[in-house]
Amino acid sequence: MSKEYETVIGLEVHVELATKTKIFCGCTTAFGGAPNTHTCPVCTGLPGSLPVLNKQVVEYAIAVGLATNCDITRYGKFDRKNYFYPDNPQNYQISQLYLPICTNGHVDIETEDGVKKSIGIHEIHMEEDAGKLVHDEWGDSSIVDFNRSGVPLIEIVSEPDMRSAAEVIAYLDKLRLTIQYLGASDCKLNEGSMRADVNISVREKGSDKFGTRTEMKNLNSFKAIEHAIKGETERQIDIIEAGGSVVQETRRWDDIKESSHAMRSKEDAKDYRYFPEPDLVPVVVSDEWIETIRSRQPEMRDEKIARYVSDYELPEYDAKILTSSRRMAGIFEAANELCKKPKKVSNWLMTETMRLMKETGTEADDLKFSPENLAKLIDMVDASEINGKVAKEVFEKIFAEDVDPAAYVKEHDLGAVNDDGALREVIKEVMEANPKAIEDYRGGKEKALGAIVGQTMKRMQGKANPGMINDILKELLG
Amino acid sequence: MSITELTALELGAKIKAGELSAVEAATEALAQIKKKEKDINAFVTVDEEGALKRAAEVQKRIDAGELKDSPIAGVPVGIKDNMCTEGLKTTCSSKILYNYIPTYTSTAVDKLEKAGAVMVGKTNMDEFAMGSTTETSHFGATKNPWNLNNVPGGSSGGSAAAVSAAEVPFALGSDTGGSIRQPCSYCGVTGIKPTYGTVSRYGLIAYGSSLDQIGPIAKNVSDCAAVLDIIAGKDQKDSTSMERELDFSAALVDDVKGLKIGIPKDYFGEGLNSEVSQKIMDAAKVLESKGAILEEFDLGLVKYAIPAYYVIACAEASSNLERFDGVKYGYRTEQYDGLHDMYKRTRSEGFGAEVKRRIMLGSFVLSSGYYDAYYLKALRVKALIKESFDKAFSKYDLILGPAAPTTAPEIGKSLSDPIQMYLGDIYTVSLNLAGLPGVSTPCGLDSKGLPVGLQLTADCFKEKNIIRAAYAYECTGEFQPSPVACV
């Protein structure tokens, strides 16, 4: 490669909103119903049915817009996007083209390497999801499930401000956390509640003109996004180096083959014949409404990080990890509220919780245990009711089944033995049985006592307070 | 006087008084339908069994002391076949919906049924309400009861003819560009297109969503007002429906003293049949003699209404009719090779020529590169037309003119020249573009013995002005219903 190239990337991110009901009817958005049971005349597009806008959708969209520094459109409209496909019962999708709810925003990102940057947001618009087509492999037919038809989406369209996969991932992570913190969506790439289409072009470094872009679809993980960007960048550079020109087209990423193929080119780009949706009235947003939504905005991640560092004196690194999901931050804050030991709570989350998450492949958002039980456990250790080793064992149970630590310790008789007399007896017996170790100790081998402590602990079924064993032992050895 | 000659309110009063039962009323209507249908073809579906069952249920409710406040309890009604009726075929007079049975009932029909009206069947119409003659129906043309060689008008031609032929005392129609008022004019009956947003469109199979309104068709304006009282009102299922003042029957007062009536000079130019013109001016004089103040004025922009209307209505229709694709319900072609071939064949075979013409026109004006030049321009014309009406209504309580430039044409004369047919909508479409209410009420017969319709228009939400004037006119007894229509 003789020249130096730069990759220019813009994203279209679809986010499924966490409303209880669909965008234009009262049907539930819940997952997992039998096909076509979460449906009505509106979301199956029956003749004569009419859409009625779910206000919560607008509120979530505005909340995301405010959190991403957008201008909120005061007089917005919905438009129809016309195309024929059986997953879309009306053969048009109700979306927003001309007057989207949010425009002209930005988010600040920081890549893993510490590069800081602002990424522009061109617009955020509201729209409805389509149904699901299931192709019958054996028969000669396809069947449609309209349960997802009419589930509310927002599409966040970035400016072409990203230059690397790392920036794209930092941007997506920023969006994901922001939207999760708002409670507007769970934003799971692998489950499709967050979907990203990546627009990629390359140009010679230093050029101020954009190259021809392609749009990459079907990216279901950060890994796929990273690989697709790398692969597409190379593909485009190869074309240019060979004297060819990149064709503007939509490409589909194949996760298994780790490569993409063309879906459709600009020549067969559909004319969607957009026009204002006449069945809906304009979306008029007042100052008061915006202020109400603004006043309900929760503390966002950057604010939390700053607060954890200043109020709890946690290292910034720890604060970042604790806030890397809304669920984790929620557990931290709630547990700390109960036991008032921020460093200890942080420690349990940063070490044991992270270890178990890794071992069990659990995502932070799926953590099941309650902060109450963690706080209780921390208090029990502090009160020497259990020793540290038992505590770790109990925490595994809390992590997996959210057990009440006090009840669990009692039931399994794991309470620390803090009875001086009983412990003293056991130690004496162990000492008598190990004259060699005592001799070695007296001969200057400090480590020799470890065997005594270990055996004592074993005799005590691990429930002894190790500090007490040491104290008594040293006293007896005088 | 036979039962079928009664108005809806007269019949309702007799049923309420126990002089006859809802079942007897339905039986009489069904008998009249049986007698008339072979000539008129006003109905796509006559639901004899269902009607008698519903009538018996309504009678039970009446006997149980319910429905005391409803003036139409037990009165038979015909419903235009573009309003969904649960369990009863709803075809829009199209092959593509020839077998479609809805799973829910439209709000307007639901309200009528709650008030005890007894639906006897679904009335014929131009396919998907596209047409001015009811000749584009897949189920054959409807004939004008005044002369079987003539069209009843359209698109609510079945509803207007059914009332005119005394098959039902009243019916529901829908009006996108004149589809209630023009057939009422041709058939010598009265119909109201309410202000846009007055009657819920939920369950009305859309033609032009921003223009469509459901309204009553009946023998006189009192019936229309009573029916409108029942079907109007904000509906949570229709975002474009509005909270507004109702109680239309309160305007049934025989008094037009001081009412200021504007007569647009531009309505009386080229293209208006001289006999129609004369009848309209005669009607104006009648109102003047009762104390109304007449004044001629220039409305302006009249000739722009038709192109703007056809661009907007067809654009919306091209999208509204996309759902009829053979995938989920209705007609599907028998032989096809893959999805897109199935779409093409189904729609080519399922839609009639006029519907296809409008889908193509609408798709064209929304296409990339043409949107601004046609669709956006039409929206600007629409706004200007509204402005010119606003100006007029700052001076007048209502505007008076013809509903159609001619009386009913002969069958087969209109469809060969669609442009000419579209031009016939000149007096009606501007009201839909501006969202205004209008009534068409009979004001005499031409020399061929065909009815002429007087159109009265008021500002948005001022239905009371037109109801009051139409009622005062009706009270003079100028128009005598034809013996043909009332037998």
Side-chain angles (χ1 to χ4, degrees):
Chain A
M1 183 164 51
S2 53
K3 297 170 188 154
E4 239 196 293
Y5 289 91
E6 174 178 64
T7 315
V8 176
I9 310 163
L11 257 59
E12 290 164 22
V13 178
H14 284 91
V15 173
E16 213 172 83
L17 297 178
T19 54
K20 289 193 175 66
T21 56
K22 294 185 179 181
I23 183 167
F24 298 125
C25 64
C27 291
T28 176
T29 56
F31 257 110
N36 296 307
T37 52
H38 299 168
T39 57
C40 72
V42 177
C43 57
T44 52
L46 289 185
S49 66
L50 297 170
V52 176
L53 179 59
N54 180 343
K55 197 176 163 193
Q56 183 64 53
V57 172
V58 185
E59 298 204 342
Y60 277 149
I62 292 175
V64 174
L66 291 174
T68 53
N69 310 294
C70 285
D71 298 332
I72 308 300
T73 305
R74 301 314 181 88
Y75 182 86
K77 280 185 179 174
F78 280 91
D79 301 293
R80 287 190 191 172
K81 179 181 182 179
N82 299 283
Y83 66 94
F84 279 79
Y85 204 63
D87 65 359
N88 173 356
Q90 308 154 121
N91 287 323
Y92 57 79
Q93 179 195 32
I94 304 178
S95 180
Q96 293 192 292
L97 176 73
Y98 296 109
L99 295 167
I101 182 77
C102 311
T103 56
N104 196 29
H106 68 269
V107 291
D108 297 322
I109 62 160
E110 185 179 346
T111 65
E112 292 222 328
D113 304 336
V115 178
K116 290 185 181 181
K117 199 168 173 180
S118 176
I119 306 296
I121 289 175
H122 183 264
E123 66 172 70
I124 300 175
H125 62 253
M126 302 176 278
E127 60 187 27
E128 56 179 342
D129 206 349
K132 199 172 91 182
L133 277 187
V134 183
H135 302 287
D136 184 346
E137 300 283 337
W138 307 102
D140 185 21
S141 66
S142 299
I143 41 183
V144 198
D145 177 6
F146 288 124
N147 283 358
R148 305 310 297 158
S149 170
V151 166
L153 303 174
I154 50 172
E155 180 174 338
I156 305 164
V157 183
S158 84
E159 299 292 352
D161 287 347
M162 286 157 274
R163 297 291 176 267
S164 67
E167 289 180 14
V168 168
I169 284 165
Y171 169 74
L172 281 172
D173 220 31
K174 180 79 181 199
L175 285 186
R176 179 178 67 84
L177 281 163
T178 303
I179 295 167
Q180 279 181 349
Y181 268 75
L182 291 169
S185 173
D186 58 8
C187 288
K188 291 184 176 175
L189 271 176
N190 55 344
E191 287 180 15
S193 58
M194 187 178 196
R195 308 189 277 257
D197 298 336
V198 181
N199 289 294
I200 304 171
S201 64
V202 297
R203 64 179 173 190
E204 260 187 74
K205 207 153 195 178
S207 167
D208 55 1
K209 282 202 303 198
F210 290 124
T212 304
R213 67 165 193 272
T214 61
E215 182 181 356
M216 192 70 69
K217 285 188 181 288
N218 196 39
L219 300 165
N220 304 321
S221 65
F222 281 174
K223 192 182 115 225
I225 289 168
E226 211 174 323
H227 290 195
I229 290 172
K230 191 162 165 279
E232 182 58 13
T233 302
E234 284 167 6
R235 195 188 68 87
Q236 291 189 13
I237 291 172
D238 286 349
I239 292 172
I240 295 166
E241 291 276 303
S245 45
V246 174
V247 179
Q248 186 176 335
E249 62 191 2
T250 304
R251 303 181 64 84
R252 185 182 165 84
W253 178 252
D254 188 323
D255 232 358
I256 296 159
K257 290 186 190 154
E258 289 259 315
S259 68
S260 66
H261 59 267
M263 281 170 75
R264 55 174 184 266
S265 73
K266 196 192 174 189
E267 279 72 52
D268 21 272
K270 292 169 186 159
D271 183 347
Y272 290 117
R273 290 176 285 115
Y274 276 100
F275 75 106
E277 165 59 271
D279 288 332
L280 289 167
V281 291
V283 182
V284 179
V285 181
S286 66
D287 290 350
E288 292 74 30
W289 197 13
I290 291 180
E291 283 321 307
T292 308
I293 295 166
R294 200 194 299 278
S295 70
R296 289 197 304 241
Q297 298 282 81
E299 185 183 39
M300 302 303 284
R301 188 190 183 200
D302 292 346
E303 296 158 341
K304 276 198 199 300
I305 292 172
R307 184 165 62 86
Y308 289 5
V309 171
S310 68
D311 292 11
Y312 305 137
E313 294 170 348
L314 296 180
E316 189 176 318
Y317 176 79
D318 296 17
K320 277 184 179 166
I321 290 192
L322 291 175
T323 55
S324 64
S325 89
R326 191 186 181 209
R327 173 81 184 134
M328 183 79 94
I331 293 174
F332 170 75
E333 290 182 17
N336 183 47
E337 187 65 31
L338 293 165
C339 69
K340 312 282 183 206
K341 296 173 187 106
K343 287 192 177 158
K344 286 188 174 149
V345 176
S346 168
N347 203 34
W348 275 100
L349 292 172
M350 296 281 294
T351 55
E352 283 309 294
T353 307
M354 294 295 224
R355 178 179 67 81
L356 291 167
M357 279 167 62
K358 209 170 168 189
E359 280 175 23
T360 55
T362 308
E363 295 288 329
D365 294 325
D366 298 326
L367 289 174
K368 296 278 185 296
F369 68 86
S370 57
E372 289 77 15
N373 288 333
L374 174 59
K376 244 190 224 176
L377 183 74
I378 290 170
D379 282 340
M380 285 167 74
V381 176
D382 264 24
S384 297
E385 288 168 31
I386 49 173
N387 65 38
K389 187 168 160 288
V390 169
K392 283 183 187 176
E393 190 186 321
V394 175
F395 183 71
E396 288 192 16
K397 285 287 169 192
I398 294 175
F399 182 89
E401 297 160 33
D402 198 24
V403 297
D404 176 340
Y408 185 82
V409 163
K410 195 172 171 202
E411 191 186 330
H412 294 84
D413 193 22
L414 297 171
V417 179
N418 293 324
D419 175 349
D420 188 289
L423 193 55
R424 200 172 284 265
E425 280 310 303
V426 173
I427 292 172
K428 276 183 186 163
E429 284 171 36
V430 174
M431 282 171 75
E432 276 166 29
N434 291 281
K436 176 91 170 59
I438 304 297
E439 207 172 298
D440 287 352
Y441 172 73
R442 294 217 156 108
K445 275 190 177 175
E446 284 270 343
K447 277 185 184 165
L449 279 191
I452 308 286
V453 175
Q455 284 193 40
T456 305
M457 195 58 105
K458 200 174 171 191
R459 290 269 306 268
M460 298 298 292
Q461 287 150 329
K463 296 180 290 184
N465 180 336
M468 271 179 83
I469 301 179
N470 271 324
D471 291 350
I472 294 167
L473 191 55
K474 288 198 173 144
E475 186 200 314
L476 292 171
L477 290 169
Chain B
M1 199 181 207
S2 95
I3 290 176
T4 54
E5 283 175 68
L6 300 173
T7 67
L9 289 177
E10 288 165 351
L11 184 56
K14 281 191 189 295
I15 294 169
K16 187 167 291 186
E19 290 174 40
L20 77 159
S21 73
V23 177
E24 284 170 292
T27 307
E28 282 293 329
L30 290 165
Q32 176 77 353
I33 288 169
K34 213 161 251 174
K35 194 163 108 195
K36 286 280 174 186
E37 268 306 88
K38 62 181 187 302
D39 289 335
I40 309 291
N41 192 34
F43 285 85
V44 173
T45 303
V46 178
D47 183 22
E48 188 170 348
E49 196 189 325
L52 292 172
K53 203 172 134 225
R54 284 187 288 273
E57 279 161 15
V58 166
Q59 190 57 49
K60 248 189 233 163
R61 284 165 70 194
I62 294 171
D63 294 342
E66 293 171 44
L67 297 169
K68 284 206 176 82
D69 296 332
S70 171
I72 56 156
V75 177
V77 59
I79 304 295
K80 189 177 181 180
D81 210 20
N82 59 354
M83 291 172 223
C84 288
T85 44
E86 185 181 344
L88 188 63
K89 212 165 60 174
T90 300
T91 69
C92 284
S93 287
S94 180
K95 182 179 177 184
I96 212 157
L97 286 178
Y98 77 105
N99 61 355
Y100 178 63
I101 297 175
T103 57
Y104 72 100
T105 294
S106 56
T107 300
V109 174
D110 189 52
K111 285 186 161 197
L112 277 186
E113 294 201 316
K114 288 209 168 86
V118 176
M119 177 175 62
V120 294
K122 306 295 291 286
T123 59
N124 202 8
M125 54 188 278
D126 280 297
E127 186 181 2
F128 284 103
M130 297 176 185
S132 313
T133 64
T134 314
E135 290 171 290
T136 69
S137 167
H138 175 63
F139 303 101
T142 297
K143 315 283 172 54
N144 192 316
W146 293 76
N147 187 330
L148 298 178
N149 293 320
N150 293 61
V151 303
S155 66
S156 309
S159 287
V163 173
S164 171
E167 293 177 307
V168 279
F170 78 103
L172 289 189
S174 69
D175 191 316
T176 308
S179 281
I180 287 176
R181 291 157 289 153
Q182 185 255 29
C184 284
S185 166
Y186 286 2
C187 290
V189 293
T190 298
I192 296 177
K193 173 217 138 7
T195 305
Y196 186 77
T198 299
V199 179
S200 168
R201 293 185 295 115
Y202 190 78
L204 171 69
I205 301 180
Y207 160 24
S209 312
S210 72
L211 309 164
D212 295 340
Q213 264 295 289
I214 291 170
I217 293 173
K219 289 189 177 105
N220 64 23
V221 71
S222 308
D223 280 5
C224 285
V227 173
L228 202 49
D229 284 339
I230 291 162
I231 61 174
K234 170 79 185 167
D235 179 8
Q236 294 307 325
K237 292 178 185 158
D238 176 2
S239 317
T240 64
S241 70
M242 279 185 261
E243 297 280 5
R244 55 158 297 181
E245 187 209 10
L246 302 168
D247 194 13
F248 302 99
S249 294
L252 295 166
V253 184
D254 183 12
D255 175 16
V256 289
K257 269 191 210 77
L259 205 66
K260 278 178 271 170
I261 301 176
I263 302 174
K265 278 187 275 189
D266 18 15
Y267 276 9
F268 290 82
E270 199 190 336
L272 178 61
N273 175 285
S274 60
E275 286 188 66
V276 172
S277 178
Q278 193 53 53
K279 290 289 168 197
I280 300 301
M281 291 318 289
D282 290 350
K285 298 255 165 53
V286 169
L287 287 170
E288 190 175 35
S289 72
K290 297 188 84 167
I293 302 155
L294 303 185
E295 191 177 297
E296 291 193 341
F297 75 108
D298 287 310
L299 179 62
L301 299 174
V302 172
K303 70 173 177 179
Y304 296 103
I306 286 173
Y309 165 80
Y310 278 94
V311 168
I312 293 168
C314 293
E316 292 177 4
S318 72
S319 175
N320 285 330
L321 270 58
E322 280 164 356
R323 71 189 69 201
F324 308 111
D325 59 5
V327 172
K328 297 143 295 194
Y329 42 74
Y331 175 77
R332 180 191 289 185
T333 189
E334 310 215 330
Q335 296 275 317
Y336 53 90
D337 179 19
L339 178 65
H340 285 275
D341 189 49
M342 192 279 283
Y343 282 154
K344 274 183 200 162
R345 286 175 191 271
T346 296
R347 289 168 63 82
S348 299
E349 294 160 17
F351 290 130
E354 184 59 31
V355 172
K356 280 188 263 195
R357 179 164 28 238
R358 295 193 194 193
I359 289 174
M360 284 189 276
L361 177 61
S363 302
F364 175 76
V365 300
L366 290 178
S367 298
S368 142
Y370 298 98
Y371 180 82
D372 291 6
Y374 293 100
Y375 187 73
L376 277 191
K377 193 175 276 178
L379 288 187
R380 283 198 291 273
V381 171
K382 177 183 172 176
L384 290 172
I385 287 171
K386 176 77 170 78
E387 271 176 37
S388 67
F389 275 111
D390 286 346
K391 217 172 102 195
F393 289 122
S394 69
K395 285 165 76 180
Y396 309 114
D397 297 311
L398 51 89
I399 291 173
L400 177 151
T406 64
T407 53
E410 283 174 35
I411 288 170
K413 292 275 168 70
S414 305
L415 295 184
S416 53
D417 187 354
I419 296 289
Q420 202 53 43
M421 184 173 81
Y422 296 171
L423 289 173
D425 298 340
I426 185 159
Y427 304 121
T428 47
V429 293
S430 54
L431 274 67
N432 300 79
L433 290 173
L436 307 171
V439 61
S440 175
T441 198
C443 65
L445 303 176
D446 70 1
S447 53
K448 288 176 277 182
L450 292 169
V452 175
L454 169 72
Q455 176 174 256
L456 301 169
T457 309
D459 203 356
C460 287
F461 311 113
K462 297 285 176 68
E463 277 85 353
K464 284 186 174 175
N465 289 352
I466 57 175
I467 289 170
R468 185 173 143 203
Y471 181 71
Y473 178 76
E474 196 175 277
C475 286
T476 62
E478 290 288 322
F479 176 76
Q480 294 301 323
S482 152
V484 178
C486 284
V487 167

